[in-house]
Amino acid sequence: MIYWQIFLAFFIPGILGYGGGPASIPLVEHEVVGKYEWMSTQEFSEVVAIGNSLPGPIATKMAGYIGYAEAGVLGSIVAMFATVAPSLILMIGMMVILMKYKEEPEVKSLTKLIRPVIAVLLGFMTIRFAQQSVEGVGISYTLMIMGVSFILLEKVKLHPAFVIALALLFGAITGL
């Protein structure tokens, strides 16, 4: 029964607070503090404070902690799944619809409009990452990693996952 309660406590806020951002915090609080009384308001505020200090969506971090506190590892898994399940269901549903109508002219024109936007967003993200890299490790290491990565990806045709793994290994060895 506790697993079902944990599931509902995080699934319902996941539906209403789509995306797992700060808007879902009061919804989770209503379930955890008000409805099920698993913790006090003070304890919940401490969970939120700890969750905000860690990277990633706040809702999944809160779900993991609260689920674990109430029902151990399985409770944590159930809570985190319940948090992402609404988004997962919507994404799968949208993909089914998109795949069904992918040959329609309206969908094709929509994808033609979206591609340049995605390209621009990826370009800005790349520029921001490069700037942060230059600030963090310097221009010479940044250019070297970019050059070696380009050669491995384009000339050697190495899978991107291996290039990322090699970059991580380089960072671990050099301490950068």
Side-chain angles (χ1 to χ4, degrees):
M1 187 66 173
I2 186 71
Y3 298 114
W4 178 247
Q5 290 175 337
I6 290 172
F7 181 83
L8 289 177
F10 290 98
F11 185 77
I12 293 168
I15 292 171
L16 301 173
Y18 181 75
S24 64
I25 293 172
L27 302 169
V28 173
E29 180 183 18
H30 171 74
E31 297 291 321
V32 170
V33 176
K35 185 173 181 181
Y36 294 109
E37 298 178 349
W38 289 330
M39 55 181 49
S40 68
T41 304
Q42 176 64 31
E43 291 169 323
F44 184 80
S45 64
E46 290 171 2
V47 170
V48 171
I50 291 169
N52 275 327
S53 68
L54 300 170
I58 185 77
T60 52
K61 294 179 282 190
M62 290 188 318
Y65 176 81
I66 295 167
Y68 182 80
E70 291 305 310
V73 174
L74 185 57
S76 178
I77 292 169
V78 168
M80 286 191 288
F81 175 73
T83 302
V84 298
S87 298
L88 186 65
I89 292 167
L90 283 173
M91 286 174 48
I92 291 171
M94 290 176 68
M95 281 303 293
V96 167
I97 292 169
L98 182 63
M99 296 309 286
K100 182 177 179 181
Y101 296 106
K102 70 180 179 182
E103 297 301 322
E104 297 295 321
E106 293 86 1
V107 174
K108 284 187 175 188
S109 64
L110 180 66
T111 56
K112 285 180 185 177
L113 291 173
I114 291 174
R115 283 184 186 158
V117 172
I118 292 172
V120 169
L121 290 173
L122 287 172
F124 280 124
M125 184 180 68
T126 303
I127 291 168
R128 190 179 70 224
F129 283 165
Q131 288 171 338
Q132 289 174 348
S133 179
V134 168
E135 291 170 7
V137 297
I139 187 107
S140 58
Y141 277 117
T142 299
L143 290 175
M144 181 187 70
I145 291 171
M146 288 172 63
V148 170
S149 297
F150 178 79
I151 291 168
L152 291 174
L153 289 168
E154 294 298 321
K155 304 295 183 194
V156 180
K157 302 292 184 195
L158 193 62
H159 191 279
F162 293 121
V163 175
I164 293 169
L166 288 172
L168 289 171
L169 181 66
F170 175 77
I173 291 170
T174 61
L176 298 174

